[in-house]
Amino acid sequence: MTEKEIVETSEAEIAVHWQEEDYYHPSPQFIAQANMTDPSIYQRFSLDNFPNCFKEYADMLDWYEYWHTMLDTSDAPCWKWFVGGKINASYNCIDRHLAKNKNKTAIHFVPEPIEEKYEHITYQDLFVRVNEFAALLRDFCGLKAGDRVTLHMPMVPELPITMLACARLGVIHSQVFGGFSGTACADRIIDSGSHVLITMDAYYRSGSLIDHKKNADVAVEHAAKAGQKVDKVLVWQRYPGKNSSPTTMVEGRDYFVNGVLKDFYGARVEPVPMPAEAPLFLMYTSGTTGKPKGCQHSTGGYLAYVAGTSKYVQDIHPEDVYWCMADIGWITGHSYIVYGPLAICASSVIYEGVPTFPDAGRPWRIAQDLDVNIFHTAPTAIRALRKIGPDEPAKYNYHFKHMTTVGEPIEPEVWKWYHKEVGKGEAIIVDTWWQTETGGFLCSTLPALTPMKPGSAGPGMPGIHPIIFDEDGNILPQGAGKAGNICIQNPWPGAFQTIWGDRNRFVTNYYARYCKNPDSKDWRDWPYLTGDAAVEAKDGYYRILGRIDDVINVSGHRLGTKEIESAALVVPEVAEAAVVPVAHEIKGREPDLYIALKPGFSASDALAKKISDAICNEIGKIAKPRKVWIVRDMPKTRSGKIMRRVLGAISNRKDVGDVTTLANPDVVEEIQQMVK
Ligand code: WTA
């Protein structure tokens, strides 16, 4: 079976197709102060000026050695940017700011418990802490450029400190979202070949201090079974000097960072000049198969792209306080909490906990306290805050000039609440569409240049040239109003370099579909397949409809249906598993799980719970199915393929269409009765 054949229900098929809306315009005050007000940027970044246009972004960085070749396509489609350049990301995010801004806050940390004080880390503090930890990584762990290290950390300042310490040495970090289970962490340790795991004892979520170290124990044990030995587990402490986890520390393996760090007080580590194309980090993400893939991001190209887009799209100025509420465990946090903002010397807020803890006024109190004026979040959070506290924003004295939405399509109705209530009618909104793979934004309006349109991400970013293909490879004309597969015609510096250790999969998944000639070294022959469906309006704005593959976007978290199905199959009673996305008022989508049992087993609530627990255990709570439906049999084609499309229609209470050609049409009605 090819991957394509397995795909029967796509999110796009069940996506909400809302209408085109009218434009909203930024205020003259906003336009007057914006970082980018020159409309010729679109001309400068047109295809005619490709790839040299990206020099503008590269020049936002400090290079040890300036690059000689903008774009090397000789290993197509593994593009190399700024070849010959030597650069260090940690230096660019910290050291170079010290001369003028050492006293500026780099990170405002907001702990979840309301009684705990905010922490304000200056660029000088960050410099000291990153240097000391880099010295520890180098001298205590023996890590050097090119080594991979797995991080499994919550939203605390120690996470960017760890990332920047790795970057200082050229060590490739691979941060695993803190909400993932120990088993999921193990998979990433194994795939990346990490010998060091960096974690934290505990962190706060929804009011409780959660034991996190236990996940490290599971991860190390699982990895060992697969032959990947973790020599050292470095454990940051939520309260330095105090152990907040009941687990035992394994002698000779587990070390409290705060203890070992004492030996490195005052240490300074020269940043290692890295080739522009050296990998900076891996970010695992879900795709069409069960195994998550490690997207490998470069140092020079990635940093240039996130610095440029942070400046022009996030529109961050030196005096701004910028808060992106995403988790650093996802690409949004890497690019737009850590690397992009810090590269341009911003003050970036990190919030440990849940936006609705202890109530739906929390984000607005934080904004008021820190005088945040740029805010960045996902539709899921906006929907939740709107539902629980529609009138909360008005109660607080904060003023956003700029807001971002990212990660999922946003319904115009929700967009309008965000604009009117959260933004108090004053803030501009950018709806940024992009992916883990793309490093930075692909489509968005430029805040002072292109008007907003609720429900539309906007035109391609400067230097990003989208194109929509139909199933047969024909290009849909602009304004066709028809949905198709959105691709990017040209490479760009933020794009991932490959899938870690799996170049074939990289080429097959992202470049093979519309490739004109597999031997070609010309980038024009290699459109990048995003895996999303989109419609282009007459004005060149793109409305993103959702995934065309079997990826589900749950609360902005990207999960593979195959990943969840494989987790269900771990339960011995399970014969077959099928996951379909179900529309959800707040989360956007939720997975619904259909199960057929092996002969001799019968359905029960206990068994359904066992299956659901197995998924939380294998992946994490974020993958927990809405419901486990244990069915007599799966609806199947005569050739034995599970008809996920039919299951998806049932779960979403849609018309199942003609099912008479199935091998077992009778089960369809049976399942419909059950799900009702
Ligand atoms: C979806 C998150 C609509 C899309 C940065 C994409 C969006 C997937 C938007 C990537 C948006 C992201 N409007 N859909 N503004 N932004 N998506 O890798 O389906 O976690 O392919 O990256 O999220 O999710 P990922």
Side-chain angles (χ1 to χ4, degrees), residues 306-475:
V306 296
T309 49
S310 292
K311 180 153 186 195
Y312 295 146
V313 179
Q314 296 301 291
D315 204 65
I316 306 172
H317 289 65
E319 63 279 14
D320 292 330
V321 180
Y322 165 80
W323 180 16
C324 171
M325 218 164 59
D327 195 293
I328 300 176
W330 304 111
I331 193 69
T332 303
H334 273 49
S335 299
Y336 298 113
I337 297 178
V338 181
Y339 285 114
L342 297 183
I344 60 169
C345 197
S347 295
S348 185
V349 179
I350 295 182
Y351 172 50
E352 178 179 30
V354 178
T356 49
F357 179 85
D359 57 71
R362 186 70 190 276
W364 323 129
R365 285 199 294 281
I366 295 171
Q368 176 180 275
D369 290 348
L370 291 172
D371 200 15
V372 172
N373 62 344
I374 307 181
F375 184 66
H376 187 150
T377 192
T380 292
I382 305 170
R383 289 185 210 110
L385 291 163
R386 172 175 180 244
K387 177 145 195 240
I388 313 171
D391 306 321
E392 286 301 307
K395 297 182 190 162
Y396 297 95
N397 183 21
Y398 70 84
H399 290 276
F400 295 153
K401 65 165 182 176
H402 182 296
M403 304 191 300
T404 300
T405 166
V406 61
E408 308 154 71
I410 183 165
E411 302 82 351
E413 195 195 320
V414 177
W415 191 101
K416 287 173 193 168
W417 180 81
Y418 194 35
H419 184 259
K420 178 158 178 275
E421 300 299 331
V422 179
K424 306 185 176 182
E426 303 162 349
I428 70 98
I429 297 180
V430 286
D431 180 345
T432 57
W433 167 68
W434 58 297
Q435 312 178 298
T436 303
E437 293 86 340
T438 71
F441 306 143
L442 292 177
C443 280
S444 168
T445 48
L446 280 186
L449 289 175
T450 32
M452 308 158 245
K453 201 192 317 176
S456 281
M461 283 289 298
I464 303 287
H465 302 280
I467 189 170
I468 300 181
F469 288 98
D470 68 12
E471 289 298 316
D472 308 321
N474 306 308
I475 296 167

Side-chain angles (χ1 to χ4, degrees), residues 511-587:
Y511 289 97
R513 177 93 183 250
Y514 297 114
C515 175
K516 290 169 202 135
N517 167 14
D519 297 321
S520 171
K521 305 288 174 211
D522 185 341
W523 56 264
R524 290 169 195 80
D525 294 326
W526 293 94
Y528 165 77
L529 179 75
T530 65
D532 278 327
V535 179
E536 185 184 8
K538 287 208 174 63
D539 56 6
Y541 279 43
Y542 293 91
R543 217 157 7 123
I544 308 300
L545 303 174
R547 305 284 311 188
I548 53 168
D549 55 12
D550 34 16
V551 166
I552 313 187
N553 202 324
V554 184
S555 301
H557 300 323
R558 184 167 154 183
L559 296 167
T561 51
K562 288 284 159 298
E563 222 172 310
I564 305 176
E565 290 167 8
S566 323
L569 290 166
V570 168
V571 177
E573 292 91 334
V574 173
E576 289 173 311
V579 167
V580 295
V582 169
H584 183 272
E585 191 191 354
I586 300 212
K587 299 177 179 178

Side-chain angles (χ1 to χ4, degrees), residues 107 109 121 126 129-130 133 137 149-167 173-179 198-200 212 236-237 283 326-330 333-334 337-339 342 350-352:
I107 295 170
F109 173 59
I121 300 169
L126 188 62
R129 294 179 68 176
V130 166
F133 192 58
L137 292 178
V149 167
T150 297
L151 283 48
H152 193 200
M153 293 190 57
M155 280 290 282
V156 289
E158 287 78 4
L159 172 50
I161 287 169
T162 302
M163 289 160 63
L164 291 163
C166 289
H173 58 77
S174 165
Q175 153 71 4
V176 178
F177 171 58
I198 306 178
T199 186
M200 193 168 220
H212 187 55
W236 287 97
Q237 288 163 317
M283 171 65 65
D327 195 293
I328 300 176
W330 304 111
H334 273 49
I337 297 178
V338 181
Y339 285 114
L342 297 183
I350 295 182
Y351 172 50
E352 178 179 30

Side-chain angles (χ1 to χ4, degrees), residues 52-97:
N52 296 332
C53 51
F54 285 110
K55 179 177 186 314
E56 273 188 44
Y57 286 2
D59 288 350
M60 290 183 187
L61 305 177
D62 285 4
W63 298 81
Y64 295 107
E65 255 169 66
Y66 203 65
W67 42 276
H68 52 71
T69 306
M70 173 74 65
L71 173 63
D72 173 358
T73 64
S74 60
D75 188 26
C78 295
W79 319 116
K80 291 193 188 73
W81 284 90
F82 310 129
V83 181
K86 289 262 172 67
I87 190 163
N88 184 280
S90 180
Y91 178 87
N92 272 278
C93 290
I94 309 172
D95 305 43
R96 67 171 179 152
H97 305 319

